[in-house]
Amino acid sequence: MTASVAVYRNIYTEERFKQTYGKEDRAPGSLLLGKRLAQKCRCSRRAFLHLLSERVPIFSWLPRYRLRKWLLGDTIAGLTVGILHIPQGMAFALLTSVAPIFGLYTSFFPVVLYMLFGTGRHVSTGTFAVVSLMTGSVVQQLVPAPLHLNTSSPEAAALEAQRIGVASAVALLSGIMMLCMFVLRLGFLSTYLSEPIVKAFTSAAAFHVTVSQLQSMLGLRLTRHTGNFALFKTLASVMENLPQTNMAELLISLVCLAILVPVKEVNTRYRKRLRTPIPVEILTVIIATGVAYALSLDSTCDVQIVGHIPAGFPSPQMPALHTFPDIAGDTVAITFVGYAVSVSLAMIYADKHAYSIHPNQELLAHGISNTVSSFFTCFPSSATLATTNILESSGGFTQLSGLFTSLVVLVVLLLIGPLFYFLPKAVLACINVTSLRQMFLQFQDLPGLWRVSRIDFMVWVVTWLSVVVLNVDLGLAIGVVFSMMTVIGRTQRARCSVLGQASNTEIYRPMQNHSKCSEVAGVKILTYNGPIYYGNRSFFKEEVSRLLGLTPERIRSLEKTRKALEKRQRDTTVSTVERGVANASFSSDNELLKSAEKEVQALLMDCSSVIFVDVAGARLLIQMCIDCQKVGVCIYLANCNERVLKILTSSGLMNYMNPQHIFITVHDAVVYIQHLKEKTPDTTTVWV
């Protein structure tokens, strides 16, 4: 059974439609701005409480906390993530080129602060491999470590203080940048790191992390390479020094990998059946520490161990502020990566559990977390992939799980930390490598990405290759620039199509894809699927000229023909030329008018896909009006959005075309043109 639709209404131009259905003229912009400022600046108890709950979300969700329903899940999830934070915090500290204790500090302070200010209920913050790697490159550049240094010497302690000073300065500057972005409401900037860029970047960074951990897994004492081609330099250095491999540390690494990889696979495959994942990392740390202590591996086999881990809270200290000029460029990249990953993770789980997050508030939360924690010898933090996934799968419901996570880390800081003195660094390196499983698996997205969008596939590949071949910072910049160039390229080469009408309907579709649609006699209907701006104005002009057949030479020829016909029509009322044909460029009026029936009398632009027009685009449309007037073609517009129409009107387009020739739909314009043709004798119009 088919249904039919019949609608009878008047033809609406934009002007007539506004008169009938539009709003009354609004107050001047200055009055509206003043009214808004007055509302924002109004002080009241209600406004203060609203602002407090908006900027410190814990005051919003804690009073509504469902104790019986959520407390058990938050407790289990928080404790599980806290246990995972201990080995990962110490492991990622090695990536940052600082002592493991600072990783534990970074796993405590940002977690507490995000619980107070964050909007992501399932987000776990702390140390993140990619951010740690990028920070470690900055630390290594400014404070390089000598190969042979006694870890118990005063020189080593001074060097460690310098390193954590630089890492804390990066955290402070990153936090300040985020707070500035929050004030300026620049949360949308994270959208420039598209999903293909983020996935390719993290996947490529995982290779950098893995290669950087090879020396610890093999027991080699090598200089850490930074800058372009660092991955290949590190690989070459490792291969060159393979004969110096410490067999005890190699054995430790192989045993740890043999335990970590299968158990993590079990956790992933059976995470729906397991109430909590098996805490294989902390178990491995405990067992390895016990074995290293019992066998005295540090002295008998020269195994590198973590060393002294002080108990208690760190005393506040000022980061190395004098390094700000040197770290500013790298910190920008670290800030964007940390924020983009954090917001992406928060949005993924917010969509999954049907709640909303606020990107600008996330800027405030992570900005405060990094700024405050930097004064307690912490390096930059962000949301983390592995712990966030575990937090959600373990049954966490709200940010309160962060309280239990921080309590676990706090117990380690106050009581248990010194017991990890004999923990081999090779174990932490293995934990680093195995924590990157999700990042390596992102290669599985490539076949689907190729089927959906070849351009996004190219963005993924270019970003990945740039990060792997060059370095993390420069590779990310190349990926962003390449992604933006693809967007610009797509707007520059947007398709201009001729629309045809489905018979006996008001439906118009591109004729190249709908062969049974037919052009309206005498009317060329064009649609352009993109903006008209300075970057594509030449291409747009070429496309329209090609579809209309109006080259500059043809415009001049037709203008001469039109003027000649108008002159002869004034001189005589007959259709033949008196005294013979004076110009050989046309044979007779009858033949010209006969061929004109198949030509264009009106150009109708469907602007429904034109999202914006700039000054250059508006001037181009004015020039098109002038050219069309020369050859007797009337221009009509349809489906213009208000912003486009405002720019066209302000640019003076209405001086060159009739304001009554702007319609709300294509069909309104077509009906108007057909009605006009029936009333107007064809002999008074020159057809192109």
Side-chain angles (χ1 to χ4, degrees):
M1 178 180 178
T2 58
S4 60
V5 177
V7 179
Y8 299 93
R9 61 171 175 81
N10 294 326
I11 297 174
Y12 283 113
T13 62
E14 283 285 349
E15 183 177 349
R16 184 175 181 183
F17 190 82
K18 283 184 179 179
Q19 291 174 354
T20 307
Y21 298 102
K23 288 184 178 180
E24 296 180 0
D25 292 339
R26 296 186 298 178
S30 58
L31 295 179
L32 289 175
L33 180 60
K35 188 176 180 181
R36 289 179 183 175
L37 287 175
Q39 290 177 348
K40 293 289 185 182
C41 297
R42 187 178 300 167
C43 263
S44 67
R45 182 174 181 273
R46 183 179 178 182
F48 172 75
L49 292 176
H50 175 72
L51 180 64
L52 185 65
S53 63
E54 193 176 42
R55 295 297 169 236
V56 190
I58 191 172
F59 290 113
S60 175
W61 58 263
L62 191 58
R64 300 195 302 267
Y65 191 83
R66 300 179 185 178
L67 198 63
R68 294 183 179 179
K69 185 177 181 180
W70 293 343
L71 184 59
L72 180 61
D74 282 341
T75 303
I76 295 174
L79 294 176
T80 304
V81 171
I83 292 171
L84 182 61
H85 263 308
I86 297 166
Q88 282 201 354
M90 292 190 291
F92 292 157
L94 296 184
L95 284 177
T96 318
S97 299
V98 295
I101 184 61
F102 301 115
L104 294 179
Y105 296 154
T106 310
S107 299
F108 175 76
F109 290 101
V111 174
V112 175
L113 292 167
Y114 185 83
M115 180 185 68
L116 301 176
F117 297 97
T119 59
R121 300 178 191 174
H122 299 87
V123 172
S124 173
T125 58
T127 56
F128 181 44
V130 176
V131 173
S132 297
L133 177 70
M134 297 173 73
T135 307
S137 297
V138 179
V139 173
Q140 190 66 31
Q141 289 175 9
L142 296 182
V143 191
L147 286 180
H148 303 287
L149 181 68
N150 187 356
T151 56
S152 60
S153 64
E155 292 82 4
L159 182 70
E160 194 60 55
Q162 293 179 33
R163 289 192 154 203
I164 192 57
V166 172
S168 299
V170 174
L172 175 59
L173 186 55
S174 177
I176 292 173
M177 288 180 179
M178 289 186 183
L179 292 176
C180 292
M181 291 168 66
F182 164 74
V183 172
L184 299 175
R185 304 186 68 83
L186 298 179
F188 68 91
L189 290 178
S190 65
T191 58
Y192 288 105
L193 295 179
S194 63
E195 183 179 340
I197 290 178
V198 172
K199 288 190 173 183
F201 170 76
T202 53
S203 178
F207 279 86
H208 280 273
V209 173
T210 301
V211 171
S212 69
Q213 296 304 292
L214 288 178
Q215 56 180 327
S216 296
M217 296 170 67
L218 298 175
L220 300 175
R221 276 70 168 175
L222 304 176
T223 302
R224 183 169 175 175
H225 295 280
T226 59
N228 295 336
F229 311 106
L231 185 142
F232 301 102
K233 293 176 182 177
T234 303
L235 277 177
S237 181
V238 169
M239 296 298 293
E240 184 180 351
N241 290 274
L242 272 181
Q244 282 76 45
T245 298
N246 187 313
M247 300 308 295
E249 291 188 85
L250 176 60
L251 182 61
I252 292 172
S253 300
L254 292 176
V255 172
C256 288
L257 291 176
I259 296 172
L260 290 169
V261 173
V263 177
K264 279 179 158 297
E265 188 66 26
V266 170
N267 283 340
T268 302
R269 291 195 177 187
Y270 300 100
R271 61 183 176 182
K272 293 183 179 179
R273 299 182 185 180
L274 295 171
R275 185 65 183 89
T276 59
I278 302 170
V280 63
E281 288 93 347
I282 191 65
L283 292 176
T284 304
V285 166
I286 293 172
I287 295 171
T289 303
V291 172
Y293 171 73
L295 301 179
S296 300
L297 294 180
D298 58 323
S299 57
T300 58
C301 300
D302 195 24
V303 171
Q304 298 181 74
I305 58 174
V306 166
H308 176 62
I309 297 180
F313 259 52
S315 56
Q317 65 181 53
M318 188 66 68
L321 302 182
H322 66 277
T323 61
F324 273 13
D326 299 319
I327 64 177
D330 296 297
T331 305
V332 171
I334 292 171
T335 302
F336 270 90
V337 170
Y339 175 64
V341 171
S342 300
V343 171
S344 300
L345 281 174
M347 286 183 172
I348 289 172
Y349 289 102
D351 292 340
K352 183 176 180 179
H353 294 276
Y355 64 89
S356 60
I357 66 139
H358 306 288
N360 274 301
Q361 180 62 27
E362 290 294 294
L363 273 174
L364 178 65
H366 290 288
I368 291 176
S369 296
N370 280 290
T371 301
V372 174
S373 61
S374 68
F375 293 99
F376 294 92
T377 59
C378 295
F379 50 85
S381 63
S382 71
T384 63
L385 295 174
T387 55
T388 297
N389 185 32
I390 290 174
L391 179 67
E392 190 265 346
S393 61
S394 300
F397 289 100
T398 67
Q399 296 95 315
L400 191 65
S401 58
L403 174 63
F404 301 101
T405 298
S406 58
L407 286 177
V408 173
V409 181
L410 180 62
V411 170
V412 174
L413 286 173
L414 297 179
L415 302 174
I416 306 176
L419 299 179
F420 294 117
Y421 180 92
F422 289 96
L423 174 62
K425 289 185 177 181
V427 176
L428 296 179
C430 292
I431 292 174
N432 273 334
V433 172
T434 55
S435 68
L436 304 172
R437 177 183 178 277
Q438 286 179 293
M439 300 183 193
F440 286 121
L441 291 180
Q442 289 176 143
F443 278 100
Q444 296 175 350
D445 297 338
L446 285 178
L449 201 60
W450 174 263
R451 290 190 296 269
V452 174
S453 173
R454 306 287 174 86
I455 294 178
D456 285 341
F457 177 87
M458 289 300 300
V459 170
W460 201 104
V461 172
V462 168
T463 304
W464 189 89
L465 289 175
S466 300
V467 173
V468 168
V469 174
L470 299 175
N471 63 38
V472 177
D473 302 341
L474 183 58
L476 176 63
I478 291 174
V480 172
V481 171
F482 182 78
S483 178
M484 295 179 69
M485 291 300 295
T486 62
V487 175
I488 295 172
R490 278 181 275 190
T491 59
Q492 282 187 319
R493 293 292 174 176
R495 179 174 295 179
C496 189
S497 306
V498 178
L499 299 184
Q501 183 182 19
S503 59
N504 300 321
T505 70
E506 80 292 349
I507 300 172
Y508 298 83
R509 290 291 183 268
M511 294 189 62
Q512 59 197 27
N513 300 326
H514 302 82
S515 58
K516 294 184 180 179
C517 292
S518 57
E519 287 194 72
V520 178
V523 182
K524 182 72 75 172
I525 308 173
L526 301 182
T527 184
Y528 189 67
N529 300 318
I532 304 174
Y533 68 112
Y534 71 94
N536 67 355
R537 63 190 301 271
S538 299
F539 177 77
F540 173 73
K541 183 178 180 180
E542 291 174 4
E543 282 288 288
V544 173
S545 300
R546 179 181 62 82
L547 294 173
L548 291 178
L550 289 179
T551 61
E553 295 78 12
R554 182 167 170 76
I555 290 175
R556 286 194 296 270
S557 174
L558 291 171
E559 185 180 12
K560 291 180 181 179
T561 303
R562 178 172 174 269
K563 289 180 179 179
L565 284 174
E566 288 177 349
K567 181 179 179 182
R568 280 182 292 162
Q569 285 176 352
R570 288 194 301 267
D571 294 340
T572 181
T573 57
V574 297
S575 59
T576 57
V577 180
E578 293 181 357
R579 301 176 184 176
V581 179
N583 192 336
S585 63
F586 49 86
S587 57
S588 67
D589 290 345
N590 288 332
E591 292 180 0
L592 183 63
L593 293 175
K594 184 177 180 181
S595 63
E597 294 177 359
K598 300 180 181 180
E599 299 292 343
V600 178
Q601 181 183 8
L603 170 62
L604 172 57
M605 283 293 304
D606 175 18
C607 300
S608 58
S609 298
V610 180
I611 55 175
F612 73 88
V613 175
D614 69 353
V615 175
R619 289 176 180 170
L620 175 61
L621 290 176
I622 291 174
Q623 185 60 46
M624 287 175 55
C625 285
I626 296 173
D627 291 341
C628 288
Q629 286 173 0
K630 291 179 181 179
V631 297
V633 174
C634 292
I635 286 189
Y636 299 83
L637 302 179
N639 290 323
C640 292
N641 67 56
E642 290 188 3
R643 290 187 177 181
V644 169
L645 198 57
K646 182 179 180 181
I647 293 174
L648 295 180
T649 303
S650 302
S651 65
L653 180 64
M654 298 306 114
N655 297 329
Y656 299 91
M657 71 175 292
N658 190 342
Q660 299 299 320
H661 287 180
I662 303 176
F663 296 86
I664 62 168
T665 70
V666 171
H667 194 59
D668 284 77
V670 169
V671 173
Y672 174 83
I673 295 169
Q674 290 176 333
H675 181 69
L676 199 64
K677 285 171 59 179
E678 293 172 0
K679 287 190 173 184
T680 306
D682 290 344
T683 53
T684 61
T685 306
V686 175
W687 297 57
V688 184

